[in-house]
Amino acid sequence: MDNKIIEKIKNSQIKMKPKWRFALKSFLLVVLSLLLLFLLLFLVSFILRFGLFISFRVFPWMILLFVIGFVVLLEFLISRYAAAYRRPVIYSVIAIIVIIFLAGGVMNMLRFHEMIERRNLPMIRRMYDGPTIHPIMHPMMQPIRKNIKFEINGRERL
Amino acid sequence: MVTNKDKEQKDEDIVLGVQSGKIDSFGLLVQRYEERIKRYGRKFLAGYEDIEDIVQQVFLKAYINIQSFDASRKFSSWLYRIAHNEFINAIRKKKKEPLPFFNPDIIFPHPLSKETADKRVREEDVNKIVDKCLDKLDPKYREIIVLYYFEEMRYKEIADILHIPVSTVGVRIKRAKNIMNQFIKNYG
């Protein structure tokens, strides 16, 4: 068998993939994992900052699906590494949850969401319309709400 | 040309040579592992045809991806991982046996039974019986039994090949033994 294989290699029927391709793949995996981690942190810190009630009003139920989906995806990405697959899946899932809740808390202490809101970024500014509502906009006040219009910085609020 | 000096080299050093362009040295790795991978294939894929072709495919894949091998790790585990993937692909293609998409036994921790040298020696006596019962096991139990009894691997090595927790290896071996015991009781 070794002669057959060496013959195939020498006849250039089989080519070794260059090292840079594997390095690029590893780099992209790390970038993707960090991106997912950041998205998770963003969503979880948003929930911690504004509470579940407001979060569900901003993205109804989708937020929970996003968080679960991102945790599963992140778990899938890290399960390629020995440190993750040698231990039961529940350990790495718990580690991810603990890390994102701790880091999410730190982000809130650093007033991350207030900073984002001040920047008024077009993509996500609608997310912050919900949290800044006046108490009168609580669903319990629904009948009154129909007659009230809030406008802040030229934008209509919920 | 493969010299005597090459034969004394560690696998990982030979891989470093192949990575830097010594293509002929790859033949030495094929010589070292051909029989072991064939035995693993024959036991795991008992009843399947084309095992020679699948094993050849394992070595070709190893050569194509050899630059991804980290020489600080064990070459045999890396090669067996490629073989595992190829064998699983072969089972999927043939559709003879169902393969679960996800195994719940990797989620929660299990108490790990200690591995000791004398335990392994005692267990070697049952190899013949195990060989007879192999085809009665699901692929996920059959493979672990092949790696443990016939390839004589440690739990950690098996975990690295199958990418499952070390404690799951112990649990699957125990469950496989129970299935085989049941079979022996029923059919002598």
Side-chain angles (χ1 to χ4, degrees):
Chain A
M1 187 177 279
D2 58 318
N3 288 335
K4 268 188 196 171
I5 290 169
I6 297 295
E7 205 175 297
K8 278 190 177 177
I9 294 168
K10 286 192 172 167
N11 292 340
S12 299
Q13 284 173 276
I14 301 295
K15 278 185 182 160
M16 198 188 280
K17 283 185 191 168
K19 202 163 194 160
W20 66 262
R21 278 183 66 169
F22 299 104
L24 183 68
K25 196 178 160 191
S26 302
F27 174 75
L28 289 176
L29 265 176
V30 171
V31 170
L32 189 63
S33 303
L34 288 176
L35 192 71
L36 274 175
L37 193 65
F38 179 75
L39 278 172
L40 259 176
L41 273 175
F42 186 84
L43 290 175
V44 170
S45 60
F46 189 89
I47 296 173
L48 291 175
R49 171 71 183 80
F50 300 109
L52 265 181
F53 178 75
I54 295 287
S55 305
F56 279 107
R57 282 191 51 183
V58 179
F59 350 59
W61 291 106
M62 286 299 281
I63 193 163
L64 201 63
L65 292 179
F66 272 129
V67 171
I68 294 170
F70 286 150
V71 170
V72 171
L73 207 55
L74 195 60
E75 172 60 34
F76 175 74
L77 288 175
I78 64 165
S79 65
R80 298 165 156 263
Y81 302 97
Y85 69 68
R86 275 187 196 157
R87 290 169 186 83
V89 172
I90 194 82
Y91 290 168
S92 38
V93 170
I94 290 172
I96 292 172
I97 291 170
V98 168
I99 289 169
I100 55 172
F101 270 86
L102 285 177
V106 171
M107 275 169 87
N108 287 337
M109 277 166 60
L110 298 172
R111 302 202 162 273
F112 173 78
H113 288 283
E114 283 79 352
M115 193 182 76
I116 298 279
E117 192 175 8
R118 271 201 303 277
R119 295 206 170 179
N120 212 9
L121 300 170
M123 295 277 283
I124 49 174
R125 72 179 178 199
R126 282 194 62 177
M127 269 178 69
Y128 295 96
D129 286 348
T132 49
I133 58 169
H134 189 275
I136 203 168
M137 301 311 286
H138 191 277
M140 296 289 283
M141 309 296 277
Q142 198 73 17
I144 304 167
R145 195 180 148 188
K146 281 178 188 164
N147 305 317
I148 303 171
K149 211 180 204 180
F150 275 94
E151 213 174 85
I152 302 168
N153 295 337
R155 282 193 291 127
E156 198 177 302
R157 297 273 170 164
L158 287 173
Chain B
M1 187 74 183
V2 178
T3 61
N4 278 341
K5 195 186 159 194
D6 286 334
K7 283 180 183 172
E8 288 162 14
Q9 269 187 309
K10 275 167 62 187
D11 295 340
E12 292 73 22
D13 294 333
I14 297 172
V15 175
L16 282 176
V18 179
Q19 285 175 335
S20 58
K22 278 179 78 183
I23 294 168
D24 286 320
S25 302
F26 190 72
L28 193 61
L29 290 171
V30 179
Q31 278 175 22
R32 282 186 187 182
Y33 285 94
E34 186 182 343
E35 277 316 306
R36 287 173 64 181
I37 300 291
K38 271 185 188 168
R39 182 178 56 208
Y40 171 29
R42 276 195 293 262
K43 301 271 183 205
F44 181 35
L45 302 176
Y48 286 75
E49 296 146 22
D50 315 327
I51 288 173
E52 286 265 334
D53 292 344
I54 302 169
V55 171
Q56 192 176 330
Q57 199 59 31
V58 169
F59 286 109
L60 293 176
K61 282 257 169 82
Y63 178 78
I64 292 168
N65 295 296
I66 201 132
Q67 292 288 2
S68 72
F69 175 70
D70 171 8
S72 64
R73 303 192 70 176
K74 215 173 162 193
F75 175 74
S76 63
S77 299
W78 184 78
L79 185 66
Y80 271 87
R81 173 76 189 157
I82 295 175
H84 158 79
N85 288 337
E86 284 301 305
F87 296 157
I88 292 292
N89 284 343
I91 294 177
R92 284 211 176 105
K93 270 185 199 164
K94 296 274 176 184
K95 292 177 183 168
K96 265 187 181 179
E97 296 170 290
L99 282 173
F101 176 73
F102 180 73
N103 288 305
D105 59 1
I106 62 168
I107 300 176
F108 296 106
H110 308 276
L112 187 62
S113 61
K114 269 190 176 178
E115 269 183 293
T116 56
D118 71 309
K119 190 180 169 195
R120 286 189 72 97
V121 171
R122 270 190 275 121
E123 283 173 342
E124 277 165 18
D125 298 337
V126 295
N127 273 17
K128 279 184 186 173
I129 303 165
V130 169
D131 206 6
K132 278 183 186 173
C133 302
L134 269 182
D135 60 338
K136 308 291 177 292
L137 296 171
D138 280 349
K140 85 169 177 181
Y141 295 125
R142 191 165 67 230
E143 184 174 28
I144 222 152
I145 288 292
V146 170
L147 293 172
Y148 184 68
Y149 283 103
F150 299 97
E151 300 307 315
E152 297 181 351
M153 288 182 177
R154 319 288 309 191
Y155 283 11
K156 207 176 134 204
E157 264 181 292
I158 299 174
D160 283 337
I161 292 163
L162 306 181
H163 280 197
I164 57 172
V166 180
S167 61
T168 305
V169 174
V171 164
R172 285 194 191 171
I173 289 173
K174 199 178 161 194
R175 285 181 191 160
K177 277 196 231 170
N178 288 342
I179 297 169
M180 289 190 292
N181 278 338
Q182 200 60 45
F183 174 78
I184 292 162
K185 270 183 196 168
N186 292 344
Y187 301 97

Short mmCIF file of all heavy atoms in Angstrom, two decimals, chain A residues 1-2 4-6 8-10 14-19 22 79-82 84-91, chain B residues 18 23-24 27 30-31 34 52 56 59 63-68 106-109 156 159-160 163-166:
data_model
loop_
_atom_site.label_atom_id
_atom_site.label_comp_id
_atom_site.label_asym_id
_atom_site.label_seq_id
_atom_site.Cartn_x
_atom_site.Cartn_y
_atom_site.Cartn_z
N MET A 1 0.83 -1.21 0.00
CA MET A 1 0.00 0.00 0.00
C MET A 1 0.86 1.26 0.00
O MET A 1 0.51 2.24 -0.65
CB MET A 1 -0.93 0.01 1.21
CG MET A 1 -1.93 1.16 1.16
SD MET A 1 -3.08 1.16 2.51
CE MET A 1 -4.27 -0.05 1.97
N ASP A 2 1.99 1.24 0.75
CA ASP A 2 2.83 2.45 0.83
C ASP A 2 3.37 2.86 -0.54
O ASP A 2 3.41 4.04 -0.88
CB ASP A 2 3.96 2.27 1.85
CG ASP A 2 4.85 1.10 1.55
OD1 ASP A 2 4.32 0.04 1.17
OD2 ASP A 2 6.08 1.23 1.70
N LYS A 4 1.92 2.27 -3.49
CA LYS A 4 0.80 2.83 -4.26
C LYS A 4 0.57 4.29 -3.89
O LYS A 4 0.37 5.15 -4.75
CB LYS A 4 -0.49 2.06 -3.92
CG LYS A 4 -0.81 0.89 -4.80
CD LYS A 4 -2.22 0.43 -4.41
CE LYS A 4 -2.49 -0.96 -4.93
NZ LYS A 4 -3.75 -1.48 -4.39
N ILE A 5 0.61 4.55 -2.58
CA ILE A 5 0.34 5.92 -2.09
C ILE A 5 1.45 6.87 -2.52
O ILE A 5 1.19 7.95 -3.05
CB ILE A 5 0.13 5.91 -0.56
CG1 ILE A 5 -1.21 5.22 -0.26
CG2 ILE A 5 0.14 7.31 0.02
CD1 ILE A 5 -1.46 4.90 1.18
N ILE A 6 2.69 6.43 -2.33
CA ILE A 6 3.83 7.29 -2.72
C ILE A 6 3.79 7.57 -4.23
O ILE A 6 4.07 8.69 -4.68
CB ILE A 6 5.18 6.64 -2.28
CG1 ILE A 6 5.25 6.52 -0.75
CG2 ILE A 6 6.39 7.40 -2.83
CD1 ILE A 6 5.26 7.82 0.03
N LYS A 8 1.12 7.70 -6.13
CA LYS A 8 0.05 8.69 -6.35
C LYS A 8 0.53 10.10 -6.01
O LYS A 8 0.21 11.06 -6.69
CB LYS A 8 -1.19 8.36 -5.52
CG LYS A 8 -2.07 7.31 -6.15
CD LYS A 8 -3.39 7.20 -5.42
CE LYS A 8 -4.27 6.19 -6.14
NZ LYS A 8 -5.54 5.95 -5.49
N ILE A 9 1.29 10.18 -4.91
CA ILE A 9 1.78 11.50 -4.47
C ILE A 9 2.78 12.03 -5.50
O ILE A 9 2.71 13.20 -5.91
CB ILE A 9 2.45 11.40 -3.07
CG1 ILE A 9 1.39 11.04 -2.01
CG2 ILE A 9 3.16 12.68 -2.70
CD1 ILE A 9 1.96 10.63 -0.66
N LYS A 10 3.69 11.15 -5.95
CA LYS A 10 4.73 11.59 -6.89
C LYS A 10 4.16 11.93 -8.25
O LYS A 10 4.69 12.77 -8.97
CB LYS A 10 5.83 10.54 -6.99
CG LYS A 10 6.69 10.54 -5.72
CD LYS A 10 7.93 9.73 -5.86
CE LYS A 10 8.82 9.96 -4.65
NZ LYS A 10 9.90 8.99 -4.56
N ILE A 14 -2.22 13.41 -5.86
CA ILE A 14 -2.61 13.83 -4.52
C ILE A 14 -1.69 14.97 -4.10
O ILE A 14 -0.47 14.85 -4.22
CB ILE A 14 -2.42 12.65 -3.52
CG1 ILE A 14 -3.26 11.45 -3.94
CG2 ILE A 14 -2.71 13.06 -2.09
CD1 ILE A 14 -4.75 11.65 -3.89
N LYS A 15 -2.29 16.06 -3.64
CA LYS A 15 -1.46 17.20 -3.21
C LYS A 15 -1.75 17.57 -1.76
O LYS A 15 -2.88 17.57 -1.33
CB LYS A 15 -1.73 18.40 -4.12
CG LYS A 15 -0.93 18.34 -5.41
CD LYS A 15 -1.11 19.58 -6.23
CE LYS A 15 -0.32 19.43 -7.52
NZ LYS A 15 -0.77 20.33 -8.55
N MET A 16 -0.67 17.88 -1.07
CA MET A 16 -0.77 18.29 0.33
C MET A 16 -1.38 19.69 0.40
O MET A 16 -1.00 20.55 -0.39
CB MET A 16 0.68 18.34 0.86
CG MET A 16 0.84 18.31 2.33
SD MET A 16 2.58 18.59 2.74
CE MET A 16 3.33 17.01 2.48
N LYS A 17 -2.32 19.90 1.31
CA LYS A 17 -2.87 21.25 1.47
C LYS A 17 -1.83 22.13 2.17
O LYS A 17 -1.20 21.66 3.13
CB LYS A 17 -4.14 21.20 2.33
CG LYS A 17 -5.36 20.70 1.58
CD LYS A 17 -6.58 20.79 2.49
CE LYS A 17 -7.76 20.07 1.91
NZ LYS A 17 -8.85 19.90 2.88
N PRO A 18 -1.65 23.37 1.71
CA PRO A 18 -0.62 24.21 2.35
C PRO A 18 -0.99 24.59 3.79
O PRO A 18 -2.17 24.64 4.14
CB PRO A 18 -0.58 25.45 1.47
CG PRO A 18 -1.87 25.46 0.74
CD PRO A 18 -2.33 24.04 0.62
N LYS A 19 0.05 24.87 4.58
CA LYS A 19 -0.15 25.17 6.00
C LYS A 19 -1.03 26.41 6.21
O LYS A 19 -1.83 26.46 7.16
CB LYS A 19 1.23 25.39 6.66
CG LYS A 19 1.19 25.19 8.14
CD LYS A 19 2.55 25.00 8.72
CE LYS A 19 2.42 24.46 10.13
NZ LYS A 19 3.60 23.83 10.62
N PHE A 22 -4.77 25.89 6.79
CA PHE A 22 -5.19 25.44 8.13
C PHE A 22 -5.10 26.60 9.13
O PHE A 22 -5.95 26.73 10.02
CB PHE A 22 -4.33 24.26 8.59
CG PHE A 22 -4.46 23.07 7.69
CD1 PHE A 22 -3.47 22.74 6.79
CD2 PHE A 22 -5.62 22.31 7.71
CE1 PHE A 22 -3.61 21.66 5.94
CE2 PHE A 22 -5.77 21.22 6.86
CZ PHE A 22 -4.76 20.90 5.97
N SER A 79 -16.12 22.68 20.76
CA SER A 79 -16.01 21.23 20.99
C SER A 79 -14.95 20.57 20.12
O SER A 79 -14.68 19.38 20.23
CB SER A 79 -17.35 20.55 20.77
OG SER A 79 -17.71 20.67 19.41
N ARG A 80 -14.29 21.36 19.26
CA ARG A 80 -13.19 20.83 18.46
C ARG A 80 -11.91 20.73 19.30
O ARG A 80 -10.97 20.06 18.91
CB ARG A 80 -12.87 21.77 17.29
CG ARG A 80 -14.02 21.91 16.35
CD ARG A 80 -13.83 23.08 15.43
NE ARG A 80 -14.62 22.87 14.24
CZ ARG A 80 -14.14 22.38 13.10
NH1 ARG A 80 -12.87 22.06 13.01
NH2 ARG A 80 -14.91 22.21 12.06
N TYR A 81 -11.87 21.45 20.41
CA TYR A 81 -10.67 21.49 21.22
C TYR A 81 -10.71 20.46 22.35
O TYR A 81 -11.77 20.27 22.97
CB TYR A 81 -10.45 22.90 21.78
CG TYR A 81 -10.34 23.93 20.68
CD1 TYR A 81 -11.43 24.70 20.29
CD2 TYR A 81 -9.14 24.09 19.97
CE1 TYR A 81 -11.34 25.61 19.24
CE2 TYR A 81 -9.04 24.99 18.93
CZ TYR A 81 -10.14 25.75 18.57
OH TYR A 81 -10.05 26.63 17.52
N ALA A 82 -9.56 19.83 22.60
CA ALA A 82 -9.48 18.75 23.59
C ALA A 82 -10.02 19.17 24.96
O ALA A 82 -10.72 18.40 25.62
CB ALA A 82 -8.05 18.25 23.70
N ALA A 84 -12.38 20.96 25.66
CA ALA A 84 -13.85 20.94 25.69
C ALA A 84 -14.39 19.52 25.51
O ALA A 84 -15.21 19.07 26.31
CB ALA A 84 -14.40 21.86 24.62
N TYR A 85 -13.92 18.79 24.48
CA TYR A 85 -14.56 17.48 24.22
C TYR A 85 -14.21 16.40 25.23
O TYR A 85 -14.93 15.41 25.35
CB TYR A 85 -14.32 17.01 22.79
CG TYR A 85 -12.91 16.60 22.43
CD1 TYR A 85 -12.31 15.48 22.97
CD2 TYR A 85 -12.18 17.33 21.50
CE1 TYR A 85 -11.02 15.11 22.63
CE2 TYR A 85 -10.88 16.97 21.14
CZ TYR A 85 -10.31 15.87 21.71
OH TYR A 85 -9.04 15.51 21.38
N ARG A 86 -13.08 16.56 25.97
CA ARG A 86 -12.71 15.52 26.95
C ARG A 86 -13.63 15.54 28.18
O ARG A 86 -13.61 14.63 28.99
CB ARG A 86 -11.27 15.71 27.40
CG ARG A 86 -10.29 15.07 26.45
CD ARG A 86 -8.90 15.14 27.02
NE ARG A 86 -7.90 14.88 26.01
CZ ARG A 86 -6.65 15.29 26.11
NH1 ARG A 86 -6.27 16.01 27.12
NH2 ARG A 86 -5.80 15.00 25.15
N ARG A 87 -14.37 16.64 28.31
CA ARG A 87 -15.29 16.75 29.46
C ARG A 87 -16.73 16.74 28.98
O ARG A 87 -17.00 17.09 27.84
CB ARG A 87 -15.01 18.05 30.21
CG ARG A 87 -13.71 18.01 30.94
CD ARG A 87 -13.27 19.36 31.46
NE ARG A 87 -11.93 19.26 32.02
CZ ARG A 87 -10.81 19.32 31.30
NH1 ARG A 87 -10.88 19.49 30.00
NH2 ARG A 87 -9.63 19.19 31.88
N PRO A 88 -17.68 16.35 29.85
CA PRO A 88 -19.09 16.34 29.44
C PRO A 88 -19.54 17.72 28.93
O PRO A 88 -19.09 18.75 29.46
CB PRO A 88 -19.82 15.95 30.71
CG PRO A 88 -18.81 15.21 31.52
CD PRO A 88 -17.50 15.83 31.23
N VAL A 89 -20.42 17.70 27.95
CA VAL A 89 -20.89 18.93 27.30
C VAL A 89 -21.45 19.93 28.33
O VAL A 89 -21.23 21.14 28.21
CB VAL A 89 -21.98 18.58 26.25
CG1 VAL A 89 -22.63 19.83 25.70
CG2 VAL A 89 -21.37 17.76 25.12
N ILE A 90 -22.11 19.39 29.35
CA ILE A 90 -22.75 20.27 30.34
C ILE A 90 -21.73 21.21 31.00
O ILE A 90 -22.04 22.36 31.29
CB ILE A 90 -23.53 19.43 31.41
CG1 ILE A 90 -24.46 20.32 32.23
CG2 ILE A 90 -22.63 18.64 32.32
CD1 ILE A 90 -25.76 20.60 31.57
N TYR A 91 -20.48 20.73 31.18
CA TYR A 91 -19.45 21.57 31.81
C TYR A 91 -19.14 22.80 30.96
O TYR A 91 -19.04 23.91 31.46
CB TYR A 91 -18.16 20.78 32.06
CG TYR A 91 -18.25 19.72 33.14
CD1 TYR A 91 -17.24 18.78 33.30
CD2 TYR A 91 -19.33 19.67 34.01
CE1 TYR A 91 -17.31 17.80 34.28
CE2 TYR A 91 -19.42 18.70 34.99
CZ TYR A 91 -18.41 17.77 35.12
OH TYR A 91 -18.48 16.81 36.10
N VAL B 18 8.09 14.99 6.63
CA VAL B 18 7.12 15.00 5.53
C VAL B 18 6.61 16.43 5.31
O VAL B 18 6.51 16.90 4.17
CB VAL B 18 5.93 14.04 5.80
CG1 VAL B 18 4.92 14.08 4.67
CG2 VAL B 18 6.41 12.61 6.00
N ILE B 23 8.87 13.53 1.10
CA ILE B 23 7.65 12.77 0.77
C ILE B 23 7.82 11.27 1.03
O ILE B 23 6.92 10.61 1.52
CB ILE B 23 7.26 13.03 -0.71
CG1 ILE B 23 6.85 14.50 -0.85
CG2 ILE B 23 6.13 12.12 -1.16
CD1 ILE B 23 6.71 14.95 -2.28
N ASP B 24 9.02 10.73 0.70
CA ASP B 24 9.25 9.29 0.86
C ASP B 24 9.05 8.80 2.29
O ASP B 24 8.65 7.66 2.52
CB ASP B 24 10.67 8.93 0.41
CG ASP B 24 10.77 8.96 -1.10
OD1 ASP B 24 9.82 8.50 -1.75
OD2 ASP B 24 11.78 9.46 -1.62
N GLY B 27 5.86 7.07 3.34
CA GLY B 27 5.74 5.63 3.12
C GLY B 27 6.04 4.84 4.38
O GLY B 27 5.42 3.80 4.66
N VAL B 30 3.06 4.86 6.53
CA VAL B 30 2.06 3.92 6.00
C VAL B 30 2.43 2.50 6.42
O VAL B 30 1.58 1.75 6.91
CB VAL B 30 1.93 4.04 4.47
CG1 VAL B 30 0.91 3.03 3.93
CG2 VAL B 30 1.53 5.45 4.06
N GLN B 31 3.72 2.16 6.28
CA GLN B 31 4.18 0.81 6.67
C GLN B 31 3.88 0.54 8.15
O GLN B 31 3.42 -0.52 8.54
CB GLN B 31 5.68 0.70 6.47
CG GLN B 31 6.08 0.38 5.04
CD GLN B 31 7.60 0.40 4.89
OE1 GLN B 31 8.34 0.25 5.87
NE2 GLN B 31 8.05 0.63 3.67
N GLU B 34 -0.30 0.60 8.55
CA GLU B 34 -1.21 -0.08 7.61
C GLU B 34 -1.97 -1.22 8.28
O GLU B 34 -3.20 -1.27 8.24
CB GLU B 34 -0.42 -0.59 6.40
CG GLU B 34 -1.32 -1.16 5.34
CD GLU B 34 -0.53 -1.72 4.16
OE1 GLU B 34 0.66 -1.38 4.01
OE2 GLU B 34 -1.13 -2.50 3.40
N GLU B 52 -10.04 -2.30 2.12
CA GLU B 52 -8.71 -1.89 1.62
C GLU B 52 -8.76 -0.48 1.04
O GLU B 52 -7.89 0.34 1.30
CB GLU B 52 -8.25 -2.86 0.52
CG GLU B 52 -7.81 -4.21 1.04
CD GLU B 52 -6.32 -4.29 1.25
OE1 GLU B 52 -5.59 -3.56 0.57
OE2 GLU B 52 -5.90 -5.09 2.11
N GLN B 56 -6.92 2.88 2.34
CA GLN B 56 -6.05 3.67 1.46
C GLN B 56 -6.48 5.14 1.49
O GLN B 56 -5.65 6.04 1.55
CB GLN B 56 -6.14 3.13 0.03
CG GLN B 56 -5.03 3.74 -0.84
CD GLN B 56 -5.04 3.15 -2.24
OE1 GLN B 56 -5.42 2.03 -2.45
NE2 GLN B 56 -4.60 3.94 -3.21
N PHE B 59 -5.09 6.97 4.49
CA PHE B 59 -3.70 7.44 4.36
C PHE B 59 -3.59 8.62 3.39
O PHE B 59 -2.80 9.54 3.62
CB PHE B 59 -2.79 6.28 3.95
CG PHE B 59 -2.53 5.33 5.08
CD1 PHE B 59 -3.10 4.06 5.08
CD2 PHE B 59 -1.76 5.71 6.16
CE1 PHE B 59 -2.89 3.19 6.13
CE2 PHE B 59 -1.54 4.85 7.23
CZ PHE B 59 -2.11 3.57 7.21
N TYR B 63 -2.18 12.34 4.28
CA TYR B 63 -1.14 13.05 3.55
C TYR B 63 -1.63 14.44 3.14
O TYR B 63 -0.92 15.44 3.32
CB TYR B 63 -0.72 12.26 2.29
CG TYR B 63 0.32 13.01 1.50
CD1 TYR B 63 1.64 13.03 1.90
CD2 TYR B 63 -0.04 13.75 0.37
CE1 TYR B 63 2.60 13.76 1.21
CE2 TYR B 63 0.90 14.47 -0.34
CZ TYR B 63 2.21 14.47 0.08
OH TYR B 63 3.14 15.21 -0.59
N ILE B 64 -2.85 14.51 2.62
CA ILE B 64 -3.41 15.80 2.16
C ILE B 64 -3.44 16.81 3.32
O ILE B 64 -3.14 17.98 3.15
CB ILE B 64 -4.84 15.60 1.57
CG1 ILE B 64 -4.75 14.80 0.26
CG2 ILE B 64 -5.54 16.92 1.33
CD1 ILE B 64 -6.08 14.29 -0.25
N ASN B 65 -3.78 16.32 4.52
CA ASN B 65 -3.95 17.24 5.67
C ASN B 65 -2.75 17.25 6.63
O ASN B 65 -2.89 17.74 7.74
CB ASN B 65 -5.22 16.85 6.44
CG ASN B 65 -6.45 17.06 5.59
OD1 ASN B 65 -6.78 18.18 5.22
ND2 ASN B 65 -7.13 15.98 5.23
N ILE B 66 -1.64 16.70 6.19
CA ILE B 66 -0.53 16.52 7.14
C ILE B 66 0.01 17.86 7.71
O ILE B 66 0.53 17.89 8.82
CB ILE B 66 0.61 15.67 6.52
CG1 ILE B 66 1.47 15.06 7.65
CG2 ILE B 66 1.48 16.48 5.57
CD1 ILE B 66 1.73 13.63 7.50
N GLN B 67 -0.18 18.94 6.97
CA GLN B 67 0.30 20.23 7.48
C GLN B 67 -0.52 20.72 8.67
O GLN B 67 -0.11 21.63 9.37
CB GLN B 67 0.25 21.30 6.36
CG GLN B 67 1.23 21.07 5.22
CD GLN B 67 2.69 21.33 5.60
OE1 GLN B 67 3.02 21.65 6.74
NE2 GLN B 67 3.57 21.16 4.64
N SER B 68 -1.68 20.10 8.88
CA SER B 68 -2.51 20.53 10.03
C SER B 68 -2.10 19.78 11.30
O SER B 68 -2.59 20.10 12.38
CB SER B 68 -3.99 20.27 9.75
OG SER B 68 -4.26 18.89 9.80
N ILE B 106 -22.91 12.07 26.05
CA ILE B 106 -21.76 12.99 26.19
C ILE B 106 -22.14 14.25 26.98
O ILE B 106 -21.30 15.09 27.24
CB ILE B 106 -21.14 13.38 24.83
CG1 ILE B 106 -22.15 14.14 23.96
CG2 ILE B 106 -20.60 12.17 24.11
CD1 ILE B 106 -21.51 14.78 22.73
N ILE B 107 -23.43 14.37 27.34
CA ILE B 107 -23.87 15.62 27.98
C ILE B 107 -23.49 15.67 29.47
O ILE B 107 -22.88 16.62 29.93
CB ILE B 107 -25.40 15.81 27.84
CG1 ILE B 107 -25.77 15.87 26.35
CG2 ILE B 107 -25.86 17.09 28.55
CD1 ILE B 107 -27.26 15.97 26.09
N PHE B 108 -23.85 14.62 30.21
CA PHE B 108 -23.66 14.64 31.66
C PHE B 108 -22.45 13.79 32.10
O PHE B 108 -22.08 12.84 31.41
CB PHE B 108 -24.94 14.16 32.36
CG PHE B 108 -26.10 15.07 32.12
CD1 PHE B 108 -27.12 14.70 31.25
CD2 PHE B 108 -26.15 16.31 32.73
CE1 PHE B 108 -28.18 15.57 31.01
CE2 PHE B 108 -27.20 17.18 32.49
CZ PHE B 108 -28.23 16.81 31.63
N PRO B 109 -21.87 14.16 33.26
CA PRO B 109 -20.72 13.37 33.74
C PRO B 109 -21.15 11.98 34.23
O PRO B 109 -22.28 11.79 34.66
CB PRO B 109 -20.17 14.21 34.89
CG PRO B 109 -21.28 15.11 35.30
CD PRO B 109 -22.19 15.30 34.13
N LYS B 156 -8.15 7.86 27.59
CA LYS B 156 -7.86 9.22 27.11
C LYS B 156 -7.60 9.23 25.60
O LYS B 156 -8.03 10.12 24.88
CB LYS B 156 -6.65 9.78 27.87
CG LYS B 156 -6.66 11.29 27.96
CD LYS B 156 -5.51 11.78 28.79
CE LYS B 156 -4.86 12.94 28.05
NZ LYS B 156 -3.49 13.16 28.41
N ALA B 159 -10.83 8.79 23.85
CA ALA B 159 -11.58 10.07 23.91
C ALA B 159 -11.07 11.03 22.85
O ALA B 159 -11.85 11.73 22.20
CB ALA B 159 -11.44 10.68 25.30
N ASP B 160 -9.74 11.05 22.63
CA ASP B 160 -9.17 11.95 21.62
C ASP B 160 -9.54 11.53 20.20
O ASP B 160 -9.64 12.36 19.31
CB ASP B 160 -7.64 11.99 21.76
CG ASP B 160 -7.21 12.86 22.92
OD1 ASP B 160 -8.00 13.73 23.32
OD2 ASP B 160 -6.09 12.66 23.44
N HIS B 163 -13.52 12.06 20.01
CA HIS B 163 -13.95 13.39 20.48
C HIS B 163 -15.16 13.29 21.41
O HIS B 163 -16.19 13.93 21.18
CB HIS B 163 -14.24 14.34 19.29
CG HIS B 163 -13.00 14.93 18.70
ND1 HIS B 163 -13.02 16.03 17.88
CD2 HIS B 163 -11.71 14.59 18.82
CE1 HIS B 163 -11.79 16.33 17.52
NE2 HIS B 163 -10.98 15.45 18.07
N ILE B 164 -15.01 12.45 22.42
CA ILE B 164 -16.07 12.32 23.44
C ILE B 164 -15.40 12.43 24.82
O ILE B 164 -14.19 12.23 24.94
CB ILE B 164 -16.83 10.97 23.32
CG1 ILE B 164 -15.88 9.76 23.41
CG2 ILE B 164 -17.65 10.91 22.04
CD1 ILE B 164 -16.60 8.42 23.49
N PRO B 165 -16.17 12.71 25.87
CA PRO B 165 -15.57 12.81 27.21
C PRO B 165 -14.97 11.46 27.66
O PRO B 165 -15.48 10.40 27.30
CB PRO B 165 -16.74 13.20 28.10
CG PRO B 165 -17.75 13.79 27.19
CD PRO B 165 -17.60 13.09 25.89
N VAL B 166 -13.90 11.56 28.47
CA VAL B 166 -13.21 10.35 28.95
C VAL B 166 -14.19 9.46 29.74
O VAL B 166 -14.17 8.24 29.60
CB VAL B 166 -11.99 10.75 29.83
CG1 VAL B 166 -11.27 9.52 30.35
CG2 VAL B 166 -11.03 11.62 29.04
#
